[in-house]
């Protein structure tokens, strides 16, 4: 079994910055991809950014130029540096990892989410 624990959310002013962290734990054999998604009430969950084990990254258009995704394989942690935040970034942010465990093949795992609120 695998657990993802997110941290770093909170309340910030427009133009401010936050850094989100997500740590994976459990009987992990290999982490294939790590990513961040976000969701607001009544809306479908959408991709923000992903990073693969080889280092390649992918960003939503709304995140390009403002957000940076990175990872630390030794710590099994993925980060999302969020700069120039605006009220449209307000959402619950979820961590998603695709992981192979010691007993199962590759599966996706989700964190419980962390609230990001950008005040106006």
């Amino acid at each position: 079994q695998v657990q993802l624990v997110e941290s770093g959310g909170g309340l910030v002013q427009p133009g401010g910055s936050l850094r989100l962290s997500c740590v994976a734990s459990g009987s992990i054999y290999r982490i294939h991809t790590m990513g961040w998604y976000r969701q607001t009430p009544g809306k479908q969950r959408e991709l923000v950014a992903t990073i693969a084990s080889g280092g390649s990254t992918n960003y939503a258009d709304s995140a390009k130029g403002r957000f940076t995704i990175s990872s630390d394989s030794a710590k099994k942690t993925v980060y999302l540096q969020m700069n120039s935040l605006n009220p449209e970034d307000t959402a619950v942010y979820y961590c998603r990892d695709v992981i192979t465990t010691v007993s199962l093949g590759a599966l996706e795992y989700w964190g419980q989410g962390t609230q990001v609120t950008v005040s106006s």
Side-chain angles (χ1 to χ4, degrees):
Q1 55 185 358
V2 173
Q3 289 184 332
L4 305 182
V5 180
E6 299 135 319
S7 62
L11 174 65
V12 297
Q13 298 179 5
S17 298
L18 284 174
R19 191 174 84 144
L20 307 182
S21 300
C22 175
V23 180
S25 62
S27 300
I28 298 171
Y29 179 76
R30 180 182 299 170
I31 300 177
H32 302 277
T33 61
M34 300 179 176
W36 291 95
Y37 295 71
R38 67 186 183 187
Q39 187 171 23
T40 57
K43 302 295 183 180
Q44 185 173 324
R45 190 172 300 181
E46 65 177 2
L47 180 147
V48 178
T50 61
I51 183 168
S53 59
S56 62
T57 58
N58 184 42
Y59 294 92
D61 288 341
S62 61
K64 291 178 180 177
R66 300 188 300 128
F67 297 178
T68 302
I69 188 170
S70 61
S71 64
D72 185 328
S73 59
K75 296 181 178 179
K76 298 182 177 64
T77 301
V78 61
Y79 307 93
L80 184 68
Q81 178 66 47
M82 308 168 67
N83 299 325
S84 301
L85 287 164
N86 58 65
E88 295 177 338
D89 297 314
T90 296
V92 178
Y93 285 70
Y94 296 91
C95 175
R96 173 187 179 270
D97 291 0
V98 178
I99 295 172
T100 299
T101 66
V102 296
S103 59
L104 296 173
L107 295 174
E108 66 174 18
Y109 298 88
W110 292 88
Q112 292 182 312
T114 183
Q115 178 71 49
V116 172
T117 302
V118 185
S119 65
S120 59

